Amino acid sequence: PALGACPVTTPVEDLERWYEPGREVVVAEPGAPLADAIRALLADPTRARAIATAAWRRTWAEHTWERRIDALLADLAT
């Protein structure tokens, strides 16, 4: 996502903590459902770009090392 690609993944525990499925990441079961999800994105580049853009924004707003270190230091200070 940090490079502007549309993230596609299989289900991952706690993924919702980091990215919003359907808006910032595409989630599909392995095998045919995953292939179908990728085909759907290829057929709808506007949707793929919207997801990529949303993921890119979230990544740079929340998931850089700088942000993680700031959060860690804030937790240690409490």
Side-chain angles (χ1 to χ4, degrees), residues 1 9 27 46 56 61 66 70 75:
T9 186
V27 181
T46 301
W56 180 86
E66 180 181 19
D70 288 346
D75 285 347

Side-chain angles (χ1 to χ4, degrees), residues 1-59:
L3 297 177
C6 179
V8 179
T9 186
T10 55
V12 177
E13 187 176 334
D14 292 331
L15 177 65
E16 296 82 13
R17 275 182 68 191
W18 309 106
Y19 293 99
E20 183 180 335
R23 192 176 89 69
E24 299 168 331
V25 61
V26 175
V27 181
E29 293 294 328
L34 184 60
D36 290 344
I38 293 169
R39 282 190 205 96
L41 289 168
L42 291 171
D44 189 353
T46 301
R47 179 174 174 250
R49 175 58 36 216
I51 293 168
T53 300
W56 180 86
R57 286 186 178 132
R58 177 99 180 247
T59 298

